[in-house]
Amino acid sequence: MQADALQADTIPPEPVALAPVVAEARIEALDVVRGFALMGIFLMNIEFFNRSMSGIGEGMPLGLSGWDWFASWFIAYFVQGKFWTIFSLLFGMGFAVMLTRAERGQRDFLAPYLRRILGLAVFGAAHYIFLWAGDILFSYAVGAGALLVVLYGTWKPILIALAVLIGAGLATGVEPLFGIAGALAFVALVSLYLRDEKGVVVHGHQIPRLSVVFGVLGAVAVVAATVLWLLPDGPKEPRIPATLAAVILPSLAVLSAKFKDPMRLRTLRLGVTMYTVSFLIMAAMGAAQYLMPREPEAPAASAPVAASTDTTTPTKTADKKPEKTAAEKDAEKKAEKAKRLATRLEETRKEVQILSSGTYREAVEMRARHFPEKLAQDAGFATVLVAMFLIGNWFVRSGVMENTRDHLPLFRALALYGLPVGIGLGLLGSAIAVSHVPGDEHDGFLFARGLAVLGNLPACLGYVGLVVVMLHSQSMVSRIRVLAPMGRMALTNYLMQSAICAWYFYGYGWGHWGMGRAQQVVFVVVVFMVQVALSHWWLARYRFGPMEWLWRAFTYRTTPAMRR
């Protein structure tokens, strides 16, 4: 969950004349935010060292009570989702910091950044396979590649890549390749908003080409939705998605045309829109499932009519396979659904068995088998990460993070409005459902989860605003800067947290699998305090954390001095 967010200040030394005027204050603010976010990340991650990874999509565990219930509820709605978004913002900020310094120093940017992404991917893959399946470093590497496509991609290599992915998918039958191709096409499309200045003239007005694309797609969606709703015997499942597309696509056409300029706000507007629309769709789909009545069970098939004794007219359908009745189709659907659910439950049982009492080799083999699935999932997740990266990029390129003290009114507003709105959306969802019943699509959890995830963006901005305001306070809360060394060693500390948890909780370590949620909070606080102290001790003697040094050496192909 780190990427440049983990090491935004580890850029090669440059002449003082090229450095930002208030670089130290800015770097301290970023480090403090990173250190603060690591606490939230740890509180969220530790649950899945004691629970199957499939539980990520199921909300709070069932059967909790007392302090365990309160700890789980508090983390679910005040912590979960708010801190990976903070690190995503920091990643975008780190990207902009590196780009800005390269421009000011007239140095190459793209080659070192590609090596930086590759280094992060290696860290992430190793972390996933050898330590923990909840890794997000590899996800950030994929997202960083997508960000480069948005900002620098050209159509010829993109089209070639799409052709290769689709062709390989058709030839091999590997469906995830189509998902990767879809994600690539999406990020290429949104790059039009940022970088395409050409348009189509309609009635004397120049309309951006992306707006025209959205308009055409929206018109098709309106027609499709109308037909689906008017046909009484037509398919019902596509009605809601088609209706959403009929509303959202024309809206995007209008918004992208009206708010494309000024250019300085494009990355911010694009990032906010990409994130909001993605999870607005999720919430709307969940609301449709939750609010629409369940379909009644199909009636049993009626008894077959007796065969006619009239043999004078030969039947032409005697050899045809009879059509399945509604009851038979419904029974097949239920059987397929039950089969998928049983398969998932069996996989969860095996995962829990291996992690709670199996060997290290079994755990590594299991995670290595699942790693290809992560590749496809990260391609889709990259579209959300890019949205956060773009917002973070705007914070630096706009000058807001150059001197946080000069922009304190903005950070106060973010804290004052972002936290109540963001957390409030999650709490509203908790009134609908806090847990998901596997196999039940109408339990309201998708709706509740959509509201919570939609609120993660304002909440994470609110937390960033709160930390910056605290940092510049004249009261005791300014001591939050004690977290700065933790943030400077964020990659090392993140991996250290996983190593400690794997060793303490898994069966091939100390075997404390299944620790109560309230005890997990205590565990996090103790380990985090030790990490803060260790970070201060280490950075008093060395310039970088161990993993930061290794990442930096690979990125710049140098051997930087380690000791102070």
Side-chain angles (χ1 to χ4, degrees):
M1 50 195 49
Q2 277 72 330
D4 284 4
L6 292 173
Q7 204 182 4
D9 54 318
T10 60
I11 298 170
E14 58 190 29
V16 175
L18 295 176
V21 177
V22 287
E24 288 303 316
R26 175 184 58 79
I27 290 173
E28 182 185 36
L30 294 179
D31 286 337
V32 173
V33 173
R34 281 200 296 270
F36 172 75
L38 272 175
M39 169 68 93
I41 292 295
F42 199 3
L43 284 169
M44 184 180 70
N45 287 353
I46 192 174
E47 177 178 9
F48 298 98
F49 283 95
N50 293 272
R51 183 183 178 188
S52 166
M53 291 302 300
S54 63
I56 288 178
E58 297 176 1
M60 291 173 55
L62 299 173
L64 297 180
S65 61
W67 284 108
D68 284 336
W69 181 91
F70 178 77
S72 183
W73 175 85
F74 180 84
I75 292 170
Y77 296 103
F78 287 80
V79 176
Q80 193 175 71
K82 280 68 176 174
F83 290 87
W84 71 259
T85 44
I86 292 178
F87 270 114
S88 301
L89 281 177
L90 291 166
F91 184 102
M93 292 179 189
F95 175 91
V97 165
M98 191 172 179
L99 177 59
T100 301
R101 291 188 177 181
E103 289 173 346
R104 290 173 178 173
Q106 297 183 339
R107 295 188 300 268
D108 180 35
F109 166 76
L110 196 57
Y113 203 78
L114 287 172
R115 289 193 296 271
R116 194 174 186 80
I117 293 172
L118 178 59
L120 188 67
V122 172
F123 277 126
H127 180 223
Y128 181 97
I129 294 171
F130 296 107
L131 280 178
W132 184 52
D135 169 76
I136 203 172
L137 298 177
F138 192 88
S139 307
Y140 274 6
V142 175
L147 180 63
L148 291 181
V149 172
V150 171
L151 297 179
Y152 301 106
T154 56
W155 285 106
K156 186 176 180 179
I158 290 173
L159 291 175
I160 292 173
L162 286 173
V164 169
L165 288 168
I166 294 172
L170 292 172
T172 62
V174 179
E175 291 188 5
L177 291 175
F178 297 113
I180 297 172
L184 176 59
F186 177 81
V187 296
L189 184 64
V190 299
S191 70
L192 285 174
Y193 177 82
L194 284 181
R195 298 190 285 126
D196 182 31
E197 301 302 328
K198 296 179 181 179
V200 177
V201 178
V202 179
H203 296 299
H205 299 281
Q206 182 165 310
I207 309 297
R209 289 194 288 190
L210 179 61
S211 304
V212 174
V213 171
F214 280 141
V216 172
L217 294 176
V220 173
V222 169
V223 173
T226 303
V227 171
L228 287 169
W229 282 102
L230 291 179
L231 289 177
D233 297 326
K236 295 182 179 180
E237 290 182 359
R239 288 177 178 176
I240 299 301
T243 303
L244 285 174
V247 173
I248 291 173
L249 289 172
S251 300
L252 289 176
V254 173
L255 292 173
S256 61
K258 186 175 182 179
F259 296 105
K260 185 169 184 178
D261 293 319
M263 184 179 290
R264 60 185 175 82
L265 293 177
R266 282 187 194 174
T267 55
L268 176 64
R269 287 172 173 172
L270 179 58
V272 171
T273 302
M274 287 174 63
Y275 185 96
T276 304
V277 169
S278 297
F279 294 111
L280 193 59
I281 292 173
M282 177 181 175
M285 292 291 291
Q289 287 183 352
Y290 178 59
L291 298 175
M292 291 182 68
R294 297 172 186 259
E295 290 190 13
E297 297 287 337
S302 59
V305 178
S308 172
T309 58
D310 183 4
T311 58
T312 58
T313 305
T315 177
K316 294 183 180 179
T317 59
D319 296 332
K320 285 188 178 180
K321 190 175 180 180
E323 264 191 48
K324 293 179 182 177
T325 65
E328 288 172 335
K329 291 179 181 178
D330 186 59
E332 283 187 356
K333 271 187 181 180
K334 287 184 176 179
E336 184 62 30
K337 183 177 177 181
K339 183 180 177 181
R340 290 197 304 268
L341 180 59
T343 301
R344 180 182 176 187
L345 292 175
E346 177 61 18
E347 289 176 352
T348 299
R349 186 195 65 78
K350 287 182 180 178
E351 179 189 355
V352 171
Q353 185 272 322
I354 290 173
L355 295 179
S356 62
S357 57
T359 65
Y360 179 66
R361 179 176 178 176
E362 289 175 323
V364 169
E365 288 177 347
M366 177 185 68
R367 291 190 288 257
R369 285 196 307 272
H370 292 166
F371 186 71
E373 299 173 12
K374 178 177 174 60
L375 293 174
Q377 292 169 357
D378 284 347
F381 187 38
T383 59
V384 177
L385 290 177
V386 166
M388 299 303 303
F389 297 166
L390 289 170
I391 298 171
N393 179 76
W394 176 84
F395 267 89
V396 170
R397 301 290 274 183
S398 66
V400 170
M401 297 305 295
E402 290 283 346
N403 189 343
T404 51
R405 185 178 294 278
D406 287 350
H407 295 88
L408 280 179
L410 171 62
F411 290 107
R412 290 193 186 99
L414 290 175
L416 183 62
Y417 300 109
L419 287 173
V421 171
I423 294 174
L425 282 171
L427 294 177
L428 178 62
S430 72
I432 299 169
V434 297
S435 302
H436 173 54
V437 179
D440 185 357
E441 297 177 352
H442 300 275
D443 62 1
F445 184 73
L446 182 61
F447 184 22
R449 191 69 193 140
L451 291 174
V453 180
L454 193 60
N456 285 346
L457 176 57
C460 93
L461 292 172
Y463 277 128
V464 170
L466 179 64
V467 171
V468 171
V469 170
M470 291 173 66
L471 182 63
H472 291 291
S473 170
Q474 300 301 314
S475 65
M476 288 183 59
V477 297
S478 64
R479 294 182 182 179
I480 195 173
R481 60 173 32 93
V482 73
L483 299 178
M486 184 78 177
R488 287 178 59 191
M489 290 177 54
L491 177 58
T492 297
N493 283 315
Y494 171 67
L495 295 175
M496 186 190 303
Q497 288 170 0
S498 293
I500 291 171
C501 287
W503 166 72
Y504 190 81
F505 294 112
Y506 288 161
Y508 49 78
W510 276 22
H512 291 284
W513 174 274
M515 175 184 281
R517 205 70 176 99
Q519 289 178 291
Q520 291 174 21
V521 173
V522 176
F523 184 93
V524 166
V525 171
V526 172
V527 172
F528 189 81
M529 290 174 63
V530 171
Q531 285 188 299
V532 171
L534 182 61
S535 298
H536 278 266
W537 179 88
W538 181 274
L539 290 177
R541 293 159 178 78
Y542 303 98
R543 298 177 64 203
F544 314 103
M547 296 297 103
E548 285 76 10
W549 181 90
L550 185 60
W551 193 16
R552 179 187 177 96
F554 179 78
T555 298
Y556 298 107
R557 296 186 296 184
T558 61
T559 308
M562 185 66 161
R563 296 191 64 89
R564 286 194 175 277

